[in-house]
Amino acid sequence: MTTADQQALIDALSAEYSAVYAYGVIAAYANHDRDKVVAEFTAAHRARRDATIDALKASGATVPEPAAAYTAPFPVNDPIPAAKLAVTVESDTAACWRAVVERAGDPGLRRTGIDALTECAARLATWQSILGATPVTIAFPGQA
């Protein structure tokens, strides 16, 4: 794994750290009808975080620690902002995994990026649907 591959993974790991933290906030304020979805999506981000840490360690890279706390881009105090935060989280993680796909020289790492990007896009579509957005999907997830 090249230094560029490692940096792409470190950037994606940072997004996953933030996502796991944000889903704690989302869980606190989301509509309780969404508890199963929130738990599933939190677990997915934890699993992706852990796999990314393992890949970085295997490559010999120094794995950064998560921040002590992360700041939401807007106040989250009821179910609608919680769902909007989830949209932001999935959009941000999709952008980082898209960058892995674009920057990685290793085919296996690009495959990992594609898988992660696809998962983010599916979760993003779920939250967009919950919010009543149309369309619920975009042509190129992770693209600003």
Side-chain angles (χ1 to χ4, degrees), residues 25 43 57 69 71 81 90 92-95 100 108 112-113 130 132 137:
V25 175
K57 284 180 181 177
T71 303
E90 297 304 342
D92 290 351
T93 52
V100 169
T112 297
I130 287 168
T137 60

Side-chain angles (χ1 to χ4, degrees), residues 29-122:
Y29 291 101
N31 182 318
H32 289 297
D33 293 343
R34 310 280 183 239
D35 286 349
K36 184 176 178 183
V37 169
V38 171
E40 177 186 331
F41 292 177
T42 301
H45 280 290
R46 284 184 180 142
R48 184 61 65 186
R49 174 202 62 198
D50 295 347
T52 304
I53 289 169
D54 291 345
L56 284 166
K57 284 180 181 177
S59 77
T62 301
V63 178
E65 294 294 323
Y70 296 86
T71 303
F74 45 81
V76 178
N77 52 13
D78 68 42
I80 298 298
K84 288 180 179 178
L85 179 57
V87 166
T88 300
V89 165
E90 297 304 342
S91 295
D92 290 351
T93 52
C96 287
W97 286 109
R98 181 184 175 104
V100 169
V101 174
E102 292 170 344
R103 294 167 40 195
D106 178 71
L109 183 54
R110 279 196 304 275
R111 178 79 251 167
T112 297
I114 290 167
D115 292 344
L117 176 58
T118 301
E119 292 167 8
C120 291

